[in-house]
Protein backbone atom coordinates (compact mmCIF):
# COMPACT_ATOMS: atom_id res chain seq x y z
CA UNK A 1 0.00 0.00 0.00
CA UNK A 2 1.47 3.30 -1.03
CA UNK A 3 1.87 6.02 1.58
CA UNK A 4 2.60 9.61 0.70
CA UNK A 5 5.47 11.19 2.59
CA UNK A 6 4.37 13.29 5.52
CA UNK A 7 4.51 17.09 4.95
CA UNK A 8 7.41 16.88 2.66
CA UNK A 9 9.53 18.81 0.29
CA UNK A 10 10.24 15.44 -1.27
CA UNK A 11 7.32 14.74 -3.60
CA UNK A 12 8.38 11.31 -4.81
CA UNK A 13 6.84 8.14 -3.37
CA UNK A 14 8.94 5.33 -2.01
CA UNK A 15 9.03 2.32 -4.34
CA UNK A 16 9.45 0.16 -1.23
CA UNK A 17 5.96 1.12 -0.08
CA UNK A 18 4.37 -0.03 -3.35
CA UNK A 19 2.56 -3.23 -4.24
CA UNK A 20 2.14 -4.41 -7.85
CA UNK A 21 -1.51 -3.29 -7.61
CA UNK A 22 -0.82 0.20 -6.23
CA UNK A 23 2.02 0.83 -8.68
CA UNK A 24 -0.08 -0.47 -11.58
CA UNK A 25 -2.88 1.91 -10.69
CA UNK A 26 -0.51 4.87 -10.86
CA UNK A 27 0.96 3.54 -14.10
CA UNK A 28 -2.48 3.20 -15.70
CA UNK A 29 -3.43 6.70 -14.52
CA UNK A 30 -0.28 7.96 -16.26
CA UNK A 31 -1.21 6.12 -19.48
CA UNK A 32 1.12 3.13 -19.13
CA UNK A 33 0.12 -0.54 -19.36
CA UNK A 34 -1.07 -2.17 -16.11
CA UNK A 35 1.77 -4.69 -16.20
CA UNK A 36 4.30 -1.91 -15.50
CA UNK A 37 3.75 -2.21 -11.72
CA UNK A 38 4.79 -5.87 -11.51
CA UNK A 39 7.56 -5.25 -14.04
CA UNK A 40 9.18 -2.52 -11.94
CA UNK A 41 8.86 -4.40 -8.64
CA UNK A 42 10.48 -7.42 -10.27
CA UNK A 43 13.55 -5.29 -10.87
CA UNK A 44 13.50 -3.97 -7.31
CA UNK A 45 12.88 -7.22 -5.43
CA UNK A 46 13.97 -9.90 -7.91
CA UNK A 47 17.16 -8.32 -9.17
CA UNK A 48 17.96 -5.65 -6.57
CA UNK A 49 17.96 -2.95 -9.27
CA UNK A 50 16.83 0.43 -7.93
CA UNK A 51 17.91 2.79 -10.69
CA UNK A 52 15.10 3.24 -13.25
CA UNK A 53 17.71 3.79 -15.97
CA UNK A 54 18.96 0.22 -15.40
CA UNK A 55 15.47 -1.26 -15.88
CA UNK A 56 16.11 -2.18 -19.46
CA UNK A 57 12.69 -3.57 -20.39
CA UNK A 58 11.07 -0.18 -19.68
CA UNK A 59 10.86 2.43 -22.43
CA UNK A 60 12.87 5.64 -22.00
CA UNK A 61 9.63 7.54 -21.28
CA UNK A 62 8.56 5.00 -18.66
CA UNK A 63 11.96 5.21 -16.97
CA UNK A 64 11.70 8.99 -16.90
CA UNK A 65 8.18 8.81 -15.41
CA UNK A 66 9.35 6.35 -12.76
CA UNK A 67 12.35 8.47 -11.79
CA UNK A 68 10.21 11.59 -11.59
CA UNK A 69 7.53 10.10 -9.31
CA UNK A 70 9.27 7.36 -7.34
CA UNK A 71 12.36 7.02 -5.25
CA UNK A 72 13.93 3.77 -4.10
CA UNK A 73 16.50 5.02 -1.64
CA UNK A 74 15.17 7.76 0.57
CA UNK A 75 17.37 7.18 3.59
CA UNK A 76 20.80 8.76 3.71
CA UNK A 77 23.38 6.60 5.43
CA UNK A 78 25.12 8.85 7.94
CA UNK A 79 27.01 6.18 9.88
CA UNK A 80 27.75 2.47 9.62
CA UNK A 81 29.45 0.11 12.02
CA UNK A 82 30.54 -3.53 11.86
CA UNK A 83 31.18 -5.71 14.89
CA UNK A 84 33.65 -8.57 15.10
CA UNK A 85 30.72 -11.04 15.37
CA UNK A 86 29.32 -9.90 12.00
CA UNK A 87 26.64 -7.60 13.40
CA UNK A 88 26.28 -4.50 11.26
CA UNK A 89 24.48 -1.31 12.02
CA UNK A 90 23.32 1.61 9.89
CA UNK A 91 22.22 5.06 11.04
CA UNK A 92 19.84 6.60 8.48
CA UNK A 93 18.70 10.20 8.06
CA UNK A 94 15.43 10.93 6.29
CA UNK A 95 15.65 14.06 4.12
CA UNK A 96 12.24 15.57 4.82
CA UNK A 97 12.56 14.73 8.52
CA UNK A 98 15.48 17.14 8.69
CA UNK A 99 19.13 16.31 8.80
CA UNK A 100 19.86 17.08 12.44
CA UNK A 101 21.01 14.27 14.69
CA UNK A 102 17.73 13.77 16.53
CA UNK A 103 15.89 12.77 13.36
CA UNK A 104 17.71 9.60 12.51
CA UNK A 105 16.82 5.95 12.79
CA UNK A 106 18.82 2.79 13.11
CA UNK A 107 18.67 -0.67 11.63
CA UNK A 108 20.85 -3.64 12.50
CA UNK A 109 21.81 -6.83 10.67
CA UNK A 110 22.33 -9.77 13.02
CA UNK A 111 23.81 -12.87 11.36
CA UNK A 112 23.59 -16.00 13.53
CA UNK A 113 23.07 -19.73 13.08
CA UNK A 114 22.35 -19.46 9.38
CA UNK A 115 19.85 -16.64 9.93
CA UNK A 116 20.18 -13.11 8.66
CA UNK A 117 17.94 -11.07 10.91
CA UNK A 118 17.06 -7.45 10.22
CA UNK A 119 16.24 -5.47 13.36
CA UNK A 120 14.37 -2.41 12.13
CA UNK A 121 12.81 0.82 13.39
CA UNK A 122 9.16 1.81 13.02
CA UNK A 123 9.40 5.40 14.24
CA UNK A 124 11.92 8.23 14.43
CA UNK A 125 12.89 8.14 18.09
CA UNK A 126 10.24 6.74 20.39
CA UNK A 127 7.29 8.21 22.32
CA UNK A 128 7.60 5.64 25.13
CA UNK A 129 10.89 6.86 26.61
CA UNK A 130 12.00 3.73 28.50
CA UNK A 131 14.66 4.70 31.03
CA UNK A 132 17.12 2.07 29.82
CA UNK A 133 16.75 2.81 26.11
CA UNK A 134 18.93 5.12 24.08
CA UNK A 135 16.04 5.64 21.62
CA UNK A 136 14.34 7.78 24.25
CA UNK A 137 15.98 10.93 22.88
CA UNK A 138 12.57 12.22 21.85
CA UNK A 139 9.96 11.33 19.28
CA UNK A 140 9.99 12.82 15.79
CA UNK A 141 7.21 10.94 14.03
CA UNK A 142 6.29 7.74 12.28
CA UNK A 143 8.15 6.06 9.47
CA UNK A 144 6.10 5.27 6.38
CA UNK A 145 5.70 1.67 5.21
CA UNK A 146 8.22 2.38 2.43
CA UNK A 147 10.84 3.58 4.88
CA UNK A 148 10.29 0.59 7.15
CA UNK A 149 10.69 -1.79 4.20
CA UNK A 150 13.69 0.13 2.87
CA UNK A 151 15.68 -0.73 6.00
CA UNK A 152 15.31 -4.46 5.29
CA UNK A 153 16.24 -4.06 1.61
CA UNK A 154 19.29 -1.95 2.55
CA UNK A 155 20.57 -4.47 5.08
CA UNK A 156 20.17 -7.23 2.48
CA UNK A 157 22.26 -5.18 0.03
CA UNK A 158 25.25 -4.92 2.37
CA UNK A 159 28.31 -6.77 1.05
CA UNK A 160 28.05 -10.52 1.44
CA UNK A 161 24.64 -10.52 3.12
CA UNK A 162 22.06 -11.65 0.55
CA UNK A 163 18.44 -12.30 1.38
CA UNK A 164 17.22 -11.37 4.84
CA UNK A 165 15.63 -14.41 6.51
CA UNK A 166 14.04 -12.87 9.62
CA UNK A 167 12.73 -9.45 10.61
CA UNK A 168 12.24 -8.12 14.13
CA UNK A 169 10.56 -4.80 14.90
CA UNK A 170 12.84 -4.14 17.85
CA UNK A 171 14.66 -1.03 16.72
CA UNK A 172 13.50 2.49 17.45
CA UNK A 173 9.84 3.10 18.12
CA UNK A 174 6.73 1.39 19.38
CA UNK A 175 5.43 -0.52 16.31
CA UNK A 176 1.84 -0.75 17.53
CA UNK A 177 1.74 3.06 17.76
CA UNK A 178 2.33 3.09 13.98
CA UNK A 179 0.11 0.14 13.14
CA UNK A 180 -1.11 1.06 9.60
CA UNK A 181 2.43 1.55 8.30
CA UNK A 182 3.79 -1.48 10.16
CA UNK A 183 1.09 -3.84 8.85
CA UNK A 184 1.49 -2.45 5.31
CA UNK A 185 5.24 -3.02 5.56
CA UNK A 186 4.76 -6.59 6.81
CA UNK A 187 2.49 -7.38 3.85
CA UNK A 188 5.23 -6.22 1.47
CA UNK A 189 8.02 -7.98 3.35
CA UNK A 190 6.22 -11.32 3.30
CA UNK A 191 4.80 -11.10 -0.23
CA UNK A 192 6.27 -13.62 -2.70
CA UNK A 193 6.82 -10.76 -5.17
CA UNK A 194 8.39 -8.63 -2.39
CA UNK A 195 10.64 -9.56 0.52
CA UNK A 196 9.55 -13.21 0.40
CA UNK A 197 10.06 -13.52 4.17
CA UNK A 198 7.57 -15.86 5.81
CA UNK A 199 5.27 -14.00 8.23
CA UNK A 200 6.24 -16.63 10.82
CA UNK A 201 9.75 -15.20 10.68
CA UNK A 202 8.59 -11.68 11.41
CA UNK A 203 8.32 -10.54 15.04
CA UNK A 204 6.64 -7.38 16.28
CA UNK A 205 7.77 -6.27 19.71
CA UNK A 206 5.53 -4.03 21.80
CA UNK A 207 5.76 -2.38 25.16
CA UNK A 208 2.11 -3.34 25.61
CA UNK A 209 -0.86 -1.15 24.63
CA UNK A 210 -3.92 -3.37 25.20
CA UNK A 211 -6.22 -1.68 22.66
CA UNK A 212 -3.52 -1.83 19.97
CA UNK A 213 -2.72 -5.49 20.74
CA UNK A 214 -6.43 -6.27 20.28
CA UNK A 215 -6.49 -4.43 16.95
CA UNK A 216 -3.32 -6.22 15.88
CA UNK A 217 -4.87 -9.60 16.76
CA UNK A 218 -7.17 -9.11 13.75
CA UNK A 219 -4.18 -8.87 11.39
CA UNK A 220 -4.50 -11.67 8.86
CA UNK A 221 -0.84 -12.76 8.77
CA UNK A 222 0.69 -15.20 11.30
CA UNK A 223 3.47 -12.98 12.65
CA UNK A 224 4.98 -13.34 16.12
CA UNK A 225 4.23 -11.01 18.99
CA UNK A 226 6.81 -10.17 21.66
CA UNK A 227 5.93 -8.23 24.78
CA UNK A 228 8.66 -6.08 26.31
CA UNK A 229 7.84 -6.83 29.93
CA UNK A 230 11.20 -6.04 31.58
CA UNK A 231 9.75 -6.12 35.12
CA UNK A 232 7.63 -8.71 36.95
CA UNK A 233 5.32 -6.24 38.72
CA UNK A 234 3.69 -2.90 37.98
CA UNK A 235 5.63 -0.88 40.54
CA UNK A 236 9.03 -1.87 39.18
CA UNK A 237 7.81 -1.58 35.60
CA UNK A 238 6.61 2.01 36.09
CA UNK A 239 10.11 2.98 37.18
CA UNK A 240 11.62 2.06 33.82
CA UNK A 241 8.72 2.18 31.28
CA UNK A 242 6.66 5.40 31.38
CA UNK A 243 3.77 3.80 29.44
CA UNK A 244 3.33 1.31 32.31
CA UNK A 245 1.31 4.15 33.86
CA UNK A 246 -1.37 3.59 31.22
CA UNK A 247 -1.89 -0.18 31.52
CA UNK A 248 -1.21 -2.75 34.22
CA UNK A 249 0.54 -6.03 33.49
CA UNK A 250 -2.78 -7.81 34.12
CA UNK A 251 -4.55 -5.66 31.47
CA UNK A 252 -1.76 -6.26 28.97
CA UNK A 253 -1.83 -10.01 29.62
CA UNK A 254 -5.61 -10.06 29.01
CA UNK A 255 -5.04 -8.48 25.58
CA UNK A 256 -2.18 -10.92 24.89
CA UNK A 257 -4.46 -13.83 25.75
CA UNK A 258 -6.97 -12.58 23.15
CA UNK A 259 -4.13 -12.30 20.66
CA UNK A 260 -3.17 -15.92 21.38
CA UNK A 261 -6.79 -17.11 21.12
CA UNK A 262 -7.08 -15.55 17.66
CA UNK A 263 -3.62 -16.28 16.30
CA UNK A 264 -2.79 -19.53 18.10
CA UNK A 265 0.76 -18.24 18.42
CA UNK A 266 2.71 -18.29 21.64
CA UNK A 267 3.87 -14.90 22.92
CA UNK A 268 7.46 -14.13 23.79
CA UNK A 269 8.05 -12.16 26.95
CA UNK A 270 11.17 -10.05 26.57
CA UNK A 271 12.95 -9.40 29.84
CA UNK A 272 15.95 -7.10 29.93
CA UNK A 273 18.10 -7.95 32.93
CA UNK A 274 19.36 -4.73 34.51
CA UNK A 275 22.02 -5.52 37.09
CA UNK A 276 20.81 -4.97 40.66
CA UNK A 277 17.41 -3.65 39.51
CA UNK A 278 15.26 -6.52 38.22
CA UNK A 279 17.64 -9.49 38.21
CA UNK A 280 17.18 -10.79 41.78
CA UNK A 281 15.84 -14.32 42.50
CA UNK A 282 12.56 -12.89 43.83
CA UNK A 283 12.06 -11.15 40.49
CA UNK A 284 12.59 -14.45 38.67
CA UNK A 285 9.98 -16.17 40.86
CA UNK A 286 7.49 -13.35 40.21
CA UNK A 287 8.23 -13.44 36.48
CA UNK A 288 7.61 -17.21 36.39
CA UNK A 289 4.14 -16.61 37.85
CA UNK A 290 3.41 -13.94 35.19
CA UNK A 291 4.67 -16.15 32.35
CA UNK A 292 2.43 -19.02 33.41
CA UNK A 293 -0.66 -16.85 33.10
CA UNK A 294 -0.57 -17.20 29.31
CA UNK A 295 1.06 -19.37 26.62
CA UNK A 296 4.44 -17.73 26.55
CA UNK A 297 8.16 -18.23 26.56
CA UNK A 298 10.71 -15.90 28.10
CA UNK A 299 13.67 -14.28 26.38
CA UNK A 300 16.25 -13.00 28.82
CA UNK A 301 18.41 -10.19 27.50
CA UNK A 302 21.52 -9.13 29.31
CA UNK A 303 21.80 -5.34 29.47
CA UNK A 304 24.46 -3.87 27.18
CA UNK A 305 26.14 -0.87 28.80
CA UNK A 306 25.19 2.48 27.24
CA UNK A 307 27.24 5.55 28.03
CA UNK A 308 25.33 7.86 30.38
CA UNK A 309 22.69 5.28 31.41
CA UNK A 310 22.36 4.44 35.13
CA UNK A 311 22.32 0.64 34.88
CA UNK A 312 24.90 -2.13 35.25
CA UNK A 313 25.45 -5.18 33.12
CA UNK A 314 24.42 -8.19 35.23
CA UNK A 315 26.98 -10.91 35.91
CA UNK A 316 26.85 -14.17 33.94
CA UNK A 317 26.23 -16.08 37.19
CA UNK A 318 23.19 -13.95 38.02
CA UNK A 319 21.78 -14.38 34.52
CA UNK A 320 22.17 -18.18 34.64
CA UNK A 321 20.68 -18.35 38.12
CA UNK A 322 17.70 -16.25 36.96
CA UNK A 323 17.16 -18.62 34.05
CA UNK A 324 17.40 -21.69 36.30
CA UNK A 325 14.67 -20.36 38.60
CA UNK A 326 12.35 -19.87 35.62
CA UNK A 327 13.13 -23.28 34.14
CA UNK A 328 12.64 -25.00 37.49
CA UNK A 329 9.12 -23.58 37.42
CA UNK A 330 8.44 -25.00 33.97
CA UNK A 331 8.90 -21.76 31.99
CA UNK A 332 10.52 -22.14 28.58
CA UNK A 333 13.39 -19.63 28.82
CA UNK A 334 16.28 -18.61 26.60
CA UNK A 335 19.12 -16.19 27.08
CA UNK A 336 19.50 -14.02 24.03
CA UNK A 337 23.16 -13.78 23.03
CA UNK A 338 24.62 -10.29 23.20
CA UNK A 339 25.45 -9.22 19.70
CA UNK A 340 27.64 -6.45 18.42
CA UNK A 341 29.01 -5.48 21.83
CA UNK A 342 32.05 -3.84 20.26
CA UNK A 343 29.80 -1.48 18.31
CA UNK A 344 26.85 0.59 19.46
CA UNK A 345 24.38 -2.25 18.86
CA UNK A 346 21.80 -1.64 21.57
CA UNK A 347 18.52 -0.03 20.57
CA UNK A 348 19.11 3.63 19.70
CA UNK A 349 22.70 3.47 20.85
CA UNK A 350 24.45 4.69 17.72
CA UNK A 351 22.12 7.69 17.55
CA UNK A 352 22.62 8.18 21.28
CA UNK A 353 26.40 8.20 20.95
CA UNK A 354 26.18 10.73 18.14
CA UNK A 355 23.91 12.85 20.35
CA UNK A 356 26.24 12.58 23.34
CA UNK A 357 29.02 13.86 21.15
CA UNK A 358 26.76 16.83 20.34
CA UNK A 359 26.14 17.52 24.03
CA UNK A 360 22.63 16.01 24.34
CA UNK A 361 22.05 13.83 27.39
CA UNK A 362 19.37 11.81 29.13
CA UNK A 363 18.61 14.96 31.12
CA UNK A 364 17.65 16.84 27.97
CA UNK A 365 15.27 14.09 26.84
CA UNK A 366 11.75 15.39 26.24
CA UNK A 367 9.00 13.86 28.41
CA UNK A 368 7.50 10.66 26.96
CA UNK A 369 4.17 10.99 25.14
CA UNK A 370 1.07 8.98 26.14
CA UNK A 371 -0.20 6.25 23.77
CA UNK A 372 -2.64 7.67 21.25
CA UNK A 373 -4.54 4.37 20.98
S1 LIG B 1 12.76 0.12 24.48
FE1 LIG B 1 11.43 0.23 22.69
S2 LIG B 1 9.53 1.14 23.49
FE2 LIG B 1 11.14 1.60 25.01
S3 LIG B 1 11.93 3.64 24.41
FE3 LIG B 1 13.22 2.06 23.43
S4 LIG B 1 12.34 1.84 21.39
FE4 LIG B 1 10.79 2.82 22.70
Amino acid sequence: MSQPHPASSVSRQSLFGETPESLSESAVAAGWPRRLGAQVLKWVWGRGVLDPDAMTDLSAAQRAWLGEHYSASEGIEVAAQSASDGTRKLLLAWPDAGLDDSRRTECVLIPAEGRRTACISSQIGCPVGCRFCASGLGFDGNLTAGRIVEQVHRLGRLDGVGRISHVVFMGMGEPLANLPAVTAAIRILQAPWGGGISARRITVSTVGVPSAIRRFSNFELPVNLALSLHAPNDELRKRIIPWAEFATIAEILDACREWFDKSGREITLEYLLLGGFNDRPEHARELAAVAKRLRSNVNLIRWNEVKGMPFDRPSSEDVLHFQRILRDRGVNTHIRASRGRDIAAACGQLRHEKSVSLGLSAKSMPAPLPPSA
Side-chain angles (χ1 to χ4, degrees), residues 33-319:
R34 180 162 291 281
R35 67 170 184 280
L36 191 70
Q39 213 175 328
V40 169
L41 293 181
K42 199 166 171 185
W43 280 104
V44 171
W45 287 104
R47 301 169 182 146
V49 171
L50 303 180
D51 177 2
D53 288 338
M55 299 179 185
T56 50
D57 58 0
L58 272 60
S59 69
Q62 288 170 340
R63 293 199 292 264
W65 170 79
L66 195 63
E68 191 185 333
H69 293 92
Y70 292 93
S71 147
S73 262
E74 293 188 297
I76 298 164
E77 189 179 309
V78 288
Q81 293 182 333
S82 298
S84 51
D85 63 9
T87 301
R88 287 152 88 174
K89 184 163 194 168
L90 302 178
L91 182 63
L92 301 176
W94 304 101
D96 54 343
L99 286 173
D100 64 88
D101 254 45
S102 70
R103 293 171 180 266
R104 296 172 176 186
T105 64
E106 300 178 353
C107 54
V108 184
L109 172 82
I110 307 163
E113 296 157 9
R115 298 176 170 199
R116 291 168 305 281
T117 301
C119 176
I120 57 172
S121 298
S122 55
Q123 297 183 306
I124 304 175
C126 183
V128 182
C130 298
R131 303 295 178 225
F132 51 80
C133 176
S135 292
L137 280 167
F139 173 60
D140 288 298
N142 289 328
L143 289 174
T144 60
R147 290 174 180 193
I148 293 170
V149 172
E150 179 178 338
Q151 296 169 68
V152 178
H153 203 278
R154 265 178 182 269
L155 290 170
R157 296 202 308 271
L158 292 174
D159 273 354
V161 175
R163 256 183 191 274
I164 296 295
S165 62
H166 293 71
V167 173
V168 292
F169 284 82
M170 293 186 184
M172 281 182 184
E174 163 51 56
L176 297 192
N178 186 16
L179 202 50
V182 166
T183 49
I186 292 172
R187 288 191 186 98
I188 293 168
L189 289 171
Q190 63 82 45
W193 55 262
I197 302 164
S198 161
R200 291 174 193 278
R201 293 179 168 192
I202 298 176
T203 299
V204 173
S205 175
T206 177
V207 80
V209 181
S211 57
I213 292 173
R214 290 196 171 92
R215 277 206 304 282
F216 191 45
S217 68
N218 294 319
F219 187 48
E220 71 276 14
L221 295 170
V223 295
N224 304 299
L225 183 67
L227 171 64
S228 298
L229 192 63
H230 304 326
N233 62 61
D234 291 320
E235 287 322 302
L236 211 56
R237 200 163 188 261
K238 281 180 200 169
R239 286 170 56 190
I240 50 173
I241 302 177
W243 279 18
E245 290 287 343
F246 305 115
T248 63
I249 291 175
E251 289 165 345
I252 297 169
L253 293 187
D254 279 350
C256 287
R257 214 170 287 113
E258 282 183 34
W259 193 88
F260 173 79
D261 288 344
K262 283 192 181 157
S263 69
R265 297 186 70 71
E266 196 170 90
I267 286 161
T268 297
L269 300 181
E270 304 280 344
Y271 195 95
L272 180 65
L273 286 160
L274 302 161
F277 179 78
N278 62 358
D279 65 341
R280 303 293 85 207
E282 63 269 25
H283 299 137
R285 288 190 285 272
E286 238 181 318
L287 176 59
V290 170
K292 293 181 92 164
R293 283 159 66 184
L294 74 165
R295 286 285 296 272
S296 63
N297 60 83
V298 172
N299 236 345
L300 297 176
I301 309 144
R302 198 173 161 197
W303 164 250
N304 263 344
E305 315 84 339
V306 178
K307 225 185 279 176
M309 296 263 161
F311 299 104
D312 296 325
R313 184 167 163 83
S315 69
S316 305
E317 296 72 38
D318 283 349
V319 173

